[in-house]
């Protein structure tokens, strides 16, 4: 057996290649193919691709392209939290596998919840009220769930206050110690406006959300009261920077509401959880989550939170994108959600929800639910993805992409603030018009197959029998439109 010496310098056998040499080689290829006669830096620009929100991806990244601020990346668990909100990242325990439940029958939901928790899920994301189980059926839906071990995250839409009070009563009825109660009450008044367009009740909803936050901070420190849900902006066709900018504006509006109710700004920050979409564009998703933490740390510091305080660290819930799911050839959705969940984990999400592959068709069946939760199990247990802290850290491409997303998102956030805040920007149509313009550009790419969809515009099975599922309960709309790629 050959023993390799320590520090074997493999790279010494290869000559260094300069950027100019790369340019010359690329120029030759471009000329031969007739694609371009560009030279020098222009050859690199000819191969660049614009993705979203004016963000450009270049064909080559070197150490010269990485952000030059030596203090910017920091360390995992330390400000600006670019490399993760916790020093250990997801290592050893991994991310929280959070499964969504939206069946209106409480008994059916309860069986699905228990099956998920017994087979790898760590928390429950439960639709309550309109679009889910009835508020008064919450005890039945959570029968047998150890509420001090399994966090419950509510998604109650306009019924958020009633659902939140019902869950807090359930904690009391089951004698869950206040310090042991876990989860999120899911109050999101601005997200509700974005989905429904109804803003008349916004002041009352903000006041109710602030009351819930005060109650949680006082009596249930393990429960967060508010969710900053960026999915409405993503589902309306918004780009990655637009999604982040809207979430920052919503977070700032909630900080104003909570501090106006008498909460210290640090306490207000601790009551927020941010929800983002994870797409099959893995590097954009990784960079988006990293950028979101950095930007929110800057917002928290500007609001008076001490630099490096744990309250500056953004808690993130990543959901595999509902927009990327197709109804035709839905089996391919398993591949999309696998890439998306991998990207969410590498990007440092605290909790990850993998939507079942048939979720675009209706209520998922047991097989689809099992595949969804096992996606995270395979990534965590078999692939060992959580054994590395910040796997993307130091990548010149990812670091540069993160920087570009930060700049674009911060510019959009500032524009929303200049318009009077997110509520005003939603009411004036600023958000709707900007997202619609982004979706229009992307729709042209889809129609021309510049952005292909496997199973729909690429390799469609024209003889495929349709997959049938029980219809999912509808929620009221009227706000930002919900787009689909396969329509």
């Amino acid at each position: 057996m050959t023993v390799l010496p320590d520090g074997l310098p493999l790279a010494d056998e290869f000559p260094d290649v300069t950027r100019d040499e790369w340019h010359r080689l690329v120029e030759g290829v471009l000329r031969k193919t007739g694609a371009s006669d560009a030279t020098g830096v222009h050859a690199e620009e000819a191969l660049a691709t614009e993705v979203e929100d004016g963000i450009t991806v270049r064909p080559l990244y070197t150490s010269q392209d990485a952000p030059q601020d030596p203090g910017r990346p920091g360390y995992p668990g330390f400000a600006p939290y670019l490399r993760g909100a916790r020093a250990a990242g997801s290592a050893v325990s991994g991310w929280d596998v959070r499964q969504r439940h939206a069946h209106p029958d409480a008994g059916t939901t309860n069986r699905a919840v228990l099956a998920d928790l017994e087979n790898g899920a760590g928390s429950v994301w439960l639709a309550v009220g309109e679009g889910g189980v009835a508020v008064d059926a919450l005890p039945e839906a959570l029968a047998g769930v150890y509420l001090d071990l399994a966090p419950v995250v509510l998604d109650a839409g306009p019924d958020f206050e009633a659902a939140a009070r019902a869950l807090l009563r359930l904690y009391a009825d089951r004698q869950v110690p206040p310090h042991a109660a876990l989860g999120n009450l899911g109050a999101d008044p601005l997200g509700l406006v974005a989905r429904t367009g109804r803003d008349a009740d916004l002041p009352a909803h903000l006041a109710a959300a602030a009351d819930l936050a005060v109650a949680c901070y006082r009596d249930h420190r393990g429960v967060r009261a508010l969710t900053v849900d960026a999915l409405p902006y993503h589902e309306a066709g918004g780009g990655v920077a637009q999604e982040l900018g809207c979430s920052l504006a919503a977070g700032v509006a909630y900080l104003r509401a909570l501090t106006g109710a008498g909460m210290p700004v640090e306490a207000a920050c601790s009551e927020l959880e941010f929800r983002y979409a994870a797409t099959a564009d893995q590097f954009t998703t990784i960079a988006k989550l990293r950028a979101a933490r950095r930007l929110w740390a800057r917002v928290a510091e500007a609001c008076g939170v001490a630099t490096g305080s744990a309250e500056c660290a953004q808690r993130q819930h990543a959901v595999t994108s509902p927009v990327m799911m197709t109804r035709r050839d839905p089996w391919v959705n398993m591949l999309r959600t696998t890439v998306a969940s991998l990207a969410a984990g590498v990007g440092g999400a605290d909790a990850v929800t993998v939507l079942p592959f048939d979720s675009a068709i209706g209520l998922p069946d047991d097989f689809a639910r099992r595949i969804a939760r096992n996606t995270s199990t395979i990534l965590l247990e078999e692939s060992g993805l959580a054994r590395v802290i910040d796997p993307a850290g130091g990548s010149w491409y990812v670091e540069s992409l993160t920087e570009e997303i930060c700049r674009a998102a911060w510019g959009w956030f500032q524009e929303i603030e200049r318009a009077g805040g997110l509520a005003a920007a939603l009411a004036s149509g600023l958000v709707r018009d900007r997202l619609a313009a982004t979706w229009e550009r992307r729709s042209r790419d889809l129609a021309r197959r510049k952005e292909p969809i496997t199973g729909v515009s690429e390799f469609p099975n024209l003889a495929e029998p349709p997959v049938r599922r029980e219809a999912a309960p509808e929620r009221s709309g009227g706000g930002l439109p919900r787009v689909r790629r396969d329509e």
Side-chain angles (χ1 to χ4, degrees), residues 97-446:
V97 179
R98 181 174 296 174
Q99 290 299 92
R100 178 172 169 77
H101 298 265
H103 200 289
D105 180 73
T108 302
T109 293
N110 178 250
R111 289 189 291 273
V113 165
L114 295 178
D116 278 348
L117 293 175
E118 290 169 359
N119 292 281
S123 62
V124 177
W125 182 16
L126 185 62
V128 182
E130 181 183 290
V133 298
V135 172
D136 57 7
L138 195 60
E140 181 183 354
L142 295 176
V145 175
Y146 294 103
L147 298 176
D148 55 339
L149 299 177
V152 175
V153 177
L154 298 180
D155 182 4
D159 302 313
F160 74 86
E161 185 178 10
R165 300 293 182 189
L167 182 60
L168 294 178
R169 282 197 302 272
L170 192 59
Y171 287 139
D173 292 343
R174 296 191 185 174
Q175 299 181 345
V176 178
H179 66 276
L182 303 167
N184 191 308
L185 301 182
D188 185 20
L190 285 168
L192 183 60
V193 172
R195 290 192 184 278
T196 65
R198 300 194 296 265
D199 59 0
D201 295 330
L202 181 59
H205 284 163
L206 285 172
D211 289 343
L212 291 173
V214 170
C216 286
Y217 189 73
R218 182 184 63 235
D219 301 324
H220 301 282
R221 289 293 179 91
V223 180
R224 295 178 185 238
L226 286 90
T227 297
V228 180
D229 192 355
L231 292 185
Y233 316 105
H234 169 76
E235 292 176 7
V240 55
Q242 291 170 337
E243 182 185 349
L244 287 192
C246 288
S247 74
L248 293 177
V252 168
Y254 292 154
L255 290 185
R256 291 186 179 120
L258 299 190
T259 54
M263 293 186 71
V265 66
E266 293 84 0
C269 286
S270 70
E271 290 299 318
L272 305 183
E273 180 177 66
F274 289 73
R275 182 177 296 141
Y276 295 112
T279 72
D281 186 342
Q282 63 178 5
F283 289 110
T284 300
T285 296
I286 292 167
K288 175 173 72 175
L289 295 176
R290 300 171 94 246
R293 289 193 297 271
R294 180 191 175 196
L295 292 173
W296 182 248
R298 177 70 189 96
V299 167
E301 290 174 6
C303 290
V305 180
T307 301
S309 172
E311 285 76 12
C312 285
Q314 185 184 79
R315 181 168 180 80
Q316 296 177 333
H317 172 203
V319 182
T320 56
S321 167
V323 174
M324 75 178 179
M325 307 291 270
T326 62
R327 288 171 289 200
R328 282 169 279 187
D329 201 357
W331 319 103
V332 184
N333 290 330
M334 296 185 205
L335 303 180
R336 299 183 180 104
T337 55
T338 298
V339 175
S341 54
L342 180 147
V346 171
D350 299 284
V352 178
T353 295
V354 176
L355 296 180
F357 70 86
D358 55 359
S359 60
I361 302 170
L363 292 170
D365 64 6
D366 291 342
F367 173 72
R369 301 192 66 82
R370 180 166 66 87
I371 292 296
R373 66 173 178 263
N374 283 353
T375 300
S376 283
T377 300
I378 290 172
L379 291 173
L380 289 168
E381 304 299 335
E382 298 186 22
S383 301
L385 192 64
R387 296 179 186 176
V388 180
I389 300 174
D390 187 25
S395 163
W396 297 322
Y397 171 38
V398 173
E399 297 290 359
S400 298
L401 183 58
T402 301
E403 182 74 14
E404 283 202 65
I405 291 174
C406 280
R407 292 183 184 278
W410 191 257
W412 172 232
F413 162 64
Q414 288 180 312
E415 186 173 350
I416 293 173
E417 287 297 288
R418 285 194 297 270
L422 184 58
L426 287 169
S428 69
L430 172 65
V431 173
R432 174 187 286 271
D433 293 346
R434 195 63 58 84
L435 301 188
T438 300
W439 178 245
E440 184 180 357
R441 290 193 296 271
R442 192 173 175 197
S443 295
R444 289 197 296 267
D445 291 341
L446 291 167

